[in-house]
Amino acid sequence: RVQVLSVTHAPQVAARAATHFLISKSGGSDRVATGVAQLPRPARQEEIARMLAGATITDEARAAAGRLLAETE
């Protein structure tokens, strides 16, 4: 078996993953911290919906994210 780590902004690729991690950055100009969090299923769907819709997540984007995830489950 192989393990593949992929960093993507494509929701169609993210939906195919077995595990979804959210990478975040915080801090100011003098210090920056990077965070990594594994997303549970509901948060994963919401993140994929955000990837699809942008700043304003719509019910249609949530439904589309749900369909993408359902195709891989």
Side-chain angles (χ1 to χ4, degrees):
R1 302 210 72 195
V2 297
Q3 182 177 15
V4 176
L5 175 65
S6 176
V7 178
T8 184
H9 290 96
Q12 296 83 355
V13 174
R16 297 210 172 267
T19 305
H20 191 142
F21 294 96
L22 179 65
I23 311 300
S24 61
K25 186 170 72 171
S26 62
S29 59
D30 61 333
R31 188 172 189 166
V32 176
T34 301
V36 179
Q38 183 175 348
L39 297 180
R41 174 64 163 81
R44 187 173 176 203
Q45 182 171 343
E46 191 70 7
E47 179 60 17
I48 291 173
R50 187 196 62 76
M51 294 168 78
L52 287 165
T56 304
I57 302 172
T58 63
D59 290 338
E60 291 82 8
R62 286 184 180 98
R67 286 190 299 274
L68 283 172
L69 288 168
E71 291 174 4
T72 61
E73 293 177 338

